[in-house]
Amino acid sequence: MLRNVIRECYLFSNIDEGSLDLLTRLSTIARYEAESAIFAAGDEPDGLRVIITGSIRIWISDAEGRELTLALLEPGDPFGEISVLDKLPRTANASTLANSECLFLPKDAMEIALDKSPQFAHHLIQLLCEILRRNTEAMGAFAFLGLDGRLAQKLLDLALSYADLKDDGAKFKRKFSQNELAHMLGVTREALNKRLNALAHDGLITLTNGLISIPNLEALATRARAAERLNRGR
C-alpha cells in the first residue's frame, strides 16, 4: 500500500524505481485523531507526510491569535515538504480536521533519494516553482481584492474540489462553516457572515442546511472580477 501511496502522489510522479523502493522501505504510517496537532510553526522538520485518509488543515496565526487557513488537504496530498528540502523550521501549523492516516517519510530518506536521482530532484524543483507561482497569485488576490471579491474567488476555488459541477453551477458536497471560511480569508466570522448574506441576497449563492450552491459559476466569477477592477481603480 505504501508504495502505491508514494507512486500516486504528484511529488513523486517522476521518481525512478530504485528510489521508489528506497522510499517505500523507509516509510511508515502515522495515525492522528481529529482536531489534533501534527506540527507547529517553528518546529524542526522531521519529514514529509502524504494523506491516506482524513483531512488536514495548514494554517498560520499572529500574536493576537487570529488565524488564516492556507490550505485544506485531502487524501493524496503531501505536506511538510518545504522544510524537509530547505532544512529550516516549519513556517505553518498542520492539524487534523478528522481522524487521519498519513504516510510518513523521514527527511533522511528524502535526502538519499534526491542524491541518487537528479531527475527526481529536477522534478521537485519544477513543482516548487509552480507552488511559488500559485502563492504569488494568491497574494495578489489578497492585495487587490476586497472581502467581497476574495470570498467570491475562494468559493470558486473550493467548488473545483468540493462541489458537483453541473450545467453552469455547482453544489457543494462538503459543509464549510463560517469559521472555516473566515479563517481562509483572514477575517472575522461577523464580516464573513455579512458578505455571504450579500452574495445570497444577490442570487450568486444559496445556502441550504449549511451547504453552499452556486447557481451560476460565471456570474460569481464576474462578481470577483468586478471587485478586482473596483479595488485597482481606487
Side-chain angles (χ1 to χ4, degrees), residues 39-60:
F39 56 73
D43 286 353
E44 292 298 319
D46 56 350
L48 69 84
R49 293 161 176 83
V50 181
I51 304 173
I52 300 174
T53 61
S55 56
I56 307 296
R57 176 186 175 220
I58 307 298
W59 56 282
I60 57 175

Side-chain angles (χ1 to χ4, degrees), residues 65-108:
R66 294 175 297 188
E67 298 179 1
L68 175 64
T69 299
L70 302 178
L72 296 177
L73 305 179
E74 302 290 336
D77 290 332
F79 62 100
E81 67 274 14
I82 301 299
S83 288
V84 170
L85 294 173
D86 67 13
K87 303 180 179 61
L88 296 176
R90 304 286 190 189
T91 57
N93 310 285
S95 56
T96 59
L97 296 173
N99 291 339
S100 300
E101 188 175 71
C102 298
L103 176 147
F104 173 69
L105 186 60
K107 61 178 182 180
D108 292 345

Side-chain angles (χ1 to χ4, degrees), residues 22-40:
L22 170 68
L23 296 182
T24 301
R25 290 197 305 271
L26 297 177
S27 296
T28 58
I29 293 179
R31 296 178 175 86
Y32 308 94
E33 294 184 356
E35 299 183 3
S36 61
I38 298 177
F39 56 73

Side-chain angles (χ1 to χ4, degrees), residues 1 18 30 33 57 64 71-72 95 108-109 132 139 165 206 211 230:
M1 180 186 74
E33 294 184 356
R57 176 186 175 220
E64 297 178 3
L72 296 177
S95 56
D108 292 345
L132 179 59
M139 289 173 62
L165 305 181
T206 61
L211 283 172
L230 178 63

